[in-house]
Amino acid sequence: MNWRLIGFGGAFVAFFAVNILISAFIIQDFLFTTVPGGIAAWYIWKFCMDKESAELETLLNPPEETWPVSLPVAWGTIRDVLDTSKVHTGAAGTSGWRVQREDDSRGLILAQLTFNEQVGGLNGQVHPRTVEVQALLRPEGSSTVVDTNYRVFSPMNFDRVRTIVSDTQKALTEAAQRNKES
């Protein structure tokens, strides 16, 4: 859900609704109608931004998954998905995940996706955006527990971030199911 747009529209409606109600029924003074209208608008905006932050936090920290594959297969699955996942942007073409660090002893894979995004319409500026994924793997019998966490260094386009994270997480889970060992 686009909480920023809802917050903006809700704040606009709340501001004018409070102004109209106060001026119609209580007092017709600029200060006594504008200040409560501004406060109402700020509360609506804050509520929607808090909802977006909570949704983003939930999205960036998905629950642990137990994959029905051994640790080496899970490791290769994550590498394969990160190597083949691409993000298509209109401003800079296609970008892919780059593995920054691998630590076999701790079961850690750290990858980063950097892409450019045009902000501000046709004549807008192009800004770099970065999403990072950290996958911690630990064996549990013949299965592997995978804990993925994402970090966003420039969360301005919530819809783009949601698409990248959900597509990557979905691709990881589907690849693990395809590689299931009998």
Side-chain angles (χ1 to χ4, degrees):
M1 188 168 253
N2 194 340
W3 288 108
R4 287 180 192 259
L5 186 60
I6 292 170
F8 181 71
F12 184 78
V13 169
F15 178 78
F16 284 107
V18 168
N19 277 329
I20 290 169
L21 287 174
I22 289 176
S23 66
F25 296 113
I26 299 174
I27 190 169
Q28 291 184 354
D29 184 36
F30 178 76
L31 185 62
F32 289 118
T33 58
T34 305
V35 171
I39 292 170
W42 181 81
Y43 274 109
I44 298 292
W45 175 258
K46 176 96 170 88
F47 174 78
C48 289
M49 291 301 95
D50 289 346
K51 292 287 274 185
E52 181 178 291
S53 295
E55 191 176 320
L56 182 63
E57 188 66 30
T58 303
L59 180 71
L60 295 179
N61 297 304
E64 284 185 347
E65 295 182 26
T66 303
W67 291 359
V69 296
S70 64
L71 182 63
V73 173
W75 191 278
T77 299
I78 291 174
R79 284 300 312 249
D80 289 344
V81 169
L82 293 176
D83 288 342
T84 59
S85 294
K86 304 291 183 210
V87 173
H88 305 285
T89 61
T94 304
S95 298
W97 290 95
R98 284 183 326 152
V99 175
Q100 301 289 320
R101 194 170 105 201
E102 289 183 280
D103 189 349
D104 296 342
S105 64
R106 293 192 294 164
L108 171 75
I109 297 176
L110 184 67
Q112 191 174 60
L113 174 69
T114 303
F115 60 97
N116 291 325
E117 183 175 42
Q118 185 169 351
V119 179
L122 294 175
N123 296 326
Q125 297 178 343
V126 175
H127 293 285
R129 303 290 189 211
T130 302
V131 179
E132 186 177 88
V133 62
Q134 175 181 326
L136 293 169
L137 292 84
R138 69 176 189 275
E140 189 173 275
S142 63
S143 300
T144 304
V145 176
V146 179
D147 183 21
T148 53
N149 293 303
Y150 296 86
R151 291 191 324 177
V152 180
F153 297 106
S154 50
M156 289 303 292
N157 190 344
F158 180 67
D159 291 330
R160 171 79 62 179
V161 170
R162 178 188 3 228
T163 302
I164 291 169
V165 171
S166 61
D167 288 351
T168 303
Q169 196 65 27
K170 181 180 169 190
L172 288 170
T173 304
E174 288 174 354
Q177 292 302 321
R178 278 193 310 268
N179 293 333
K180 186 189 306 188
E181 298 170 334
S182 299

